[in-house]
Amino acid sequence: WKLWGDGDTLAIEKTFRFDGYLQTVAFANAVAYMAEQQDHHPDMLLAYRSCSVRWRSHDVAGISGRDFRCAALVEALTAPEQAGNALG
């Protein structure tokens, strides 16, 4: 995960790479489901073989502990299949 933006746009972001489009979409759907369960929703950018996930908390105009917890849950979605295959 890396910092993205500054001030009230400060966020944490990571790009995950996959072998194909369906794997990428499945990952994005899994993140969306988890986000709905957590009632905390990231910005996502979906491409053919990658998905960028960006967490920030609007209520604090930056990053909160909630963002880090959700980032850890995204990491759990990718292990062990994605071990060593994520950009960040």
Side-chain angles (χ1 to χ4, degrees), residues 12-62:
I12 55 173
E13 178 182 69
K14 188 169 185 176
T15 299
F16 297 85
R17 293 206 181 269
F18 301 92
D19 291 333
Y21 183 71
L22 290 180
Q23 289 174 315
T24 306
V25 171
F27 170 77
N29 284 333
V31 172
Y33 181 81
M34 179 276 298
E36 191 66 18
Q37 297 298 311
Q38 298 298 311
D39 193 28
H40 191 51
H41 306 89
D43 292 330
M44 290 193 286
L45 176 63
L46 189 66
Y48 184 80
R49 290 187 178 172
S50 66
C51 181
S52 296
V53 181
R54 183 180 303 152
W55 294 101
R56 73 185 199 91
S57 295
H58 301 278
D59 57 339
V60 299

